[in-house]
Amino acid sequence: MKRICCIGAGYVGGPTMAVIARHWPEYRVEVVDIDPKRIAAWNSDHLPIYEPGLDELVKSVRGRNLFFYDDVEAHIDPADIIFVSVNTPTKAFGHGAGRAADLQYWERTARQIARVATTPKIVVEKSTLPVRTAEAMESILRQNPRGVHFEVVSNPEFLAEGTAIRDLEQPDRVLIGGHDTPSGRAAVQEIVEIYARWVPREKIIVTGLWSSELAKLTANAFLAQRISSINSISAVCELTEANVTEVARAVGMDHRIGPHFLCAGVGFGGSCFRKDILNLAYLAETLGLHEVARYWQQVVEINDFQRRRFVQTMLKAMYGTLAGRRIAVFGFAFKPDTSDTRDSPAVEICRLLHEERAHLAITDPRALPSARKDLEGLPDCSFEEDPYDAARGAHAIALLTRWPEYRELDYERIYLSMEKPPFIFDGWNLLDHARLARIGFHVYRVGAPPVAPTEDRAAGLKD
Ligand code: NAD
Ligand code: UGA
């Protein structure tokens, strides 16, 4: 029986290995992590992450051929293939702080493999890493005391949170990079065969190692760049009475451009876009490519601008002061269908609102536990399971995550429970704005003119 070990039981390691285990019942797949709480959660009925379809999948394979352990070292040597899926956050200290990738987790893993492995292994880079990291990985692995041969392969992950299982089951492509040597080609082929069981072969791309590493950073940079592009246009729309949804539709119908990732909002969030672009910009900088670095840096700057702009719009609309105003925050996750709040626009926007001395009532269908941690110590902040409770007595609603359930709420009931005049700042242009205006809300949109309440409600005649 072949054994796969995945180091790092996070958003990528857990779901990816569960899908491999489903398709390879004859393989034993072990996922290990230094965080015992995370492993305990993977072994419980309350998985550490929320992903549609993940619970059922894990239940169907856990204990059969998928296992989670916190004693990392014990599971390295018995494995034939080791996936490294540890986190690679932005470095917070020293040289390259705030830009470069923090490679300490990845580096520790490489040393650990070198120290304990006694038989040859394929080591797969699943984490997103700077280009040419495999070279450093190989140099660490070569230092192993027993002269064991390791073949390093790059297999970056393209799943998006909220659709992880679908993305893993039906990926647009699987990318596998390796050395063009006999052992490199054999290792790549072995990884190709794993995916070929459920992914059509024409979707499995084989490239050189460096192209594979760089393609992952580039894919994220391109996706984020589209979002910043449309968000920059949203600012122009707000000053010219153009409508960004109409502009995006017209632009996206050009088949060379396409309709995806053109949704204007409060900016991109998540654990990867910002970190990967900063990493790419830093890489360009270290290569002496200052123009390239500045080009990508600007994508992040527009994103920060968009978050700030949203708060400035609120401030301006609400008569120049938010001090003591109760703001109901609808949505805290960085996108719908996840409990993840890493780099969520809501974190920054709540901080900015707090600086204005607003009182915040935060609600989210999945992310309240993370929200509590993110805003720990912030006074004048409450957390409500029920959006109606969050809105009660509020002066404004700020919709910060595109959860579809927020469309379905009874806004008549919400209107009656709020302070007057009530404002809605729809950060994702999700709601029915004409209807909200008829109910009596002052509606502010991203990339479109505000919609004023119809006159009778505005004058208090219908209450
Ligand atoms: P994560 O933080 O959810 O999980 C990483 C896990 O690695 C953590 O549980 C941590 O405890 C563990 N870990 C760290 N050092 C370890 C060590 N030495 N030994 C054992 N375990 C260790 O991160 P993630 O979101 O799964 O991302 C992992 C990588 O995949 C990153 O490089 C990320 O850029 C990339 N990626 C993430 C996504 C995503 O949607 N989250 C998608 C594609 C790629
Ligand atoms: C993203 C990529 O889509 C994945 O391919 C990649 O594997 C992953 O990053 C990664 O490397 O971590 P993810 O961040 O999970 O996935 O989610 P996305 O759907 O890409 O959304 C990212 C952010 O962009 C969200 O905050 C979302 O609200 C925002 N977004 C998305 C927009 O502002 N506008 C859009 O049109 C689309």
Side-chain angles (χ1 to χ4, degrees):
M1 181 193 256
K2 272 224 186 251
R3 286 171 82 130
I4 291 178
C5 174
C6 175
I7 304 181
Y11 285 84
V12 169
T16 312
M17 291 304 122
V19 169
I20 291 181
R22 160 147 71 194
H23 291 284
W24 285 93
E26 64 271 49
Y27 276 19
R28 186 180 167 94
V29 181
E30 299 179 336
V31 189
V32 296
D33 202 292
I34 40 170
D35 181 349
K37 275 203 209 120
R38 214 163 202 192
I39 291 298
W42 279 112
N43 283 320
S44 77
D45 284 340
H46 301 284
L47 301 187
I49 60 176
Y50 172 72
E51 259 314 319
L54 182 65
D55 272 30
E56 299 77 4
L57 172 59
V58 168
K59 273 188 196 131
S60 70
V61 285
R62 192 176 56 194
R64 180 189 81 174
N65 64 329
L66 178 69
F67 303 88
F68 295 93
Y69 301 106
D70 60 11
D71 47 344
V72 177
E73 283 205 6
H75 300 273
I76 289 177
D77 198 32
D80 305 284
I81 302 170
I82 299 178
F83 284 84
V84 179
S85 183
V86 298
N87 39 329
T88 50
T90 304
K91 208 173 163 197
F93 54 89
H95 194 66
R99 303 182 75 198
D102 183 347
L103 299 176
Q104 60 169 310
Y105 307 99
W106 161 88
E107 202 252 1
R108 230 175 278 163
T109 304
R111 287 188 190 281
Q112 200 169 28
I113 298 171
R115 194 170 62 246
V116 302
T118 61
T119 55
K121 298 180 195 316
I122 299 174
V123 178
V124 185
E125 294 178 343
K126 196 61 162 156
S127 303
T128 304
L129 295 160
V131 59
R132 293 197 83 91
T133 298
E135 200 171 38
M137 171 83 104
E138 282 163 349
S139 125
I140 294 174
L141 291 173
R142 262 198 304 273
Q143 302 305 313
N144 78 85
R146 300 174 196 87
V148 176
H149 178 73
F150 298 96
E151 198 61 48
V152 177
V153 170
S154 160
N155 170 221
E157 184 48 61
F158 294 101
L159 67 80
E161 287 177 33
T163 52
I165 304 302
R166 194 189 68 202
D167 296 342
L168 287 165
E169 288 288 352
Q170 295 161 357
D172 284 351
R173 79 311 212 173
V174 168
L175 177 56
I176 303 171
H179 284 304
D180 194 12
T181 59
S183 61
R185 285 193 292 273
V188 165
Q189 199 49 37
E190 196 155 344
I191 306 303
V192 168
E193 293 310 321
I194 291 180
Y195 288 102
R197 186 160 281 188
W198 77 94
V199 179
R201 281 188 191 268
E202 64 276 14
K203 290 195 172 183
I204 304 178
I205 314 169
V206 172
T207 67
L209 261 172
W210 321 135
S211 305
S212 174
E213 290 174 333
L214 186 57
K216 170 63 197 177
L217 286 183
T218 309
N220 274 0
F222 271 50
L223 289 169
Q225 179 208 44
R226 285 173 69 96
I227 299 169
S228 280
S229 297
I230 200 67
N231 281 339
S232 75
I233 298 302
S234 77
V236 177
C237 288
E238 284 166 34
L239 296 177
T240 57
E241 299 196 1
N243 183 318
V244 76
T245 310
E246 292 173 354
V247 174
R249 180 157 176 255
V251 170
M253 277 177 76
D254 184 326
H255 76 276
R256 296 167 302 176
I257 298 173
H260 302 293
F261 274 68
L262 289 180
C263 182
V266 286
F268 58 75
S271 62
C272 294
F273 278 178
R274 174 183 298 270
K275 105 171 148 60
D276 291 348
I277 298 170
L278 290 173
N279 186 352
L280 183 62
Y282 179 76
L283 194 84
E285 197 75 56
T286 57
L287 295 169
L289 302 169
H290 306 293
E291 289 79 359
V292 177
R294 275 204 300 279
Y295 176 77
W296 289 110
Q297 184 75 33
Q298 191 61 22
V299 172
V300 175
E301 281 169 27
I302 289 288
N303 201 52
D304 292 341
F305 171 65
Q306 192 74 352
R307 294 174 178 188
R308 286 196 307 273
R309 233 165 51 72
F310 185 78
V311 175
Q312 280 158 14
T313 301
M314 291 182 72
L315 196 55
K316 203 164 149 207
M318 294 178 73
Y319 320 111
T321 176
L322 298 173
R325 304 296 89 184
R326 178 176 164 102
I327 313 285
V329 174
F330 278 19
F332 202 83
F334 84 97
K335 65 185 279 197
D337 273 333
T338 178
S339 54
D340 194 351
T341 62
R342 291 179 290 179
D343 196 33
S344 176
V347 180
E348 174 71 4
I349 289 173
C350 284
R351 285 194 190 285
L352 292 171
L353 291 173
H354 177 256
E355 275 173 28
E356 294 296 335
R357 310 228 166 135
H359 295 195
L360 305 176
I362 294 153
T363 186
D364 188 285
R366 296 270 171 196
L368 278 191
S370 299
R372 280 198 177 87
K373 281 189 208 143
D374 293 334
L375 301 180
E376 209 175 332
L378 213 67
D380 301 322
C381 208
S382 67
F383 299 89
E384 307 285 353
E385 294 288 340
D386 185 345
Y388 294 104
D389 290 339
R392 188 170 305 115
H395 298 82
I397 294 171
L399 190 150
L400 301 184
T401 313
R402 228 175 330 171
W403 286 102
E405 39 268 68
Y406 292 146
R407 268 188 83 89
E408 311 308 324
L409 296 175
D410 178 352
Y411 283 94
E412 183 73 40
R413 178 180 158 196
I414 288 177
Y415 172 86
L416 292 173
S417 76
M418 285 177 68
E419 292 290 322
K420 307 295 179 305
F423 291 83
I424 288 195
F425 298 89
D426 183 351
W428 289 105
N429 298 333
L430 176 84
L431 306 175
D432 181 342
H433 299 145
R435 191 165 168 270
L436 290 173
R438 280 198 302 278
I439 292 175
F441 286 99
H442 291 266
V443 183
Y444 284 78
R445 311 183 280 180
V446 173
V451 190
T454 45
E455 276 173 24
D456 45 358
R457 259 285 157 89
L461 300 178
K462 266 172 65 187
D463 282 353

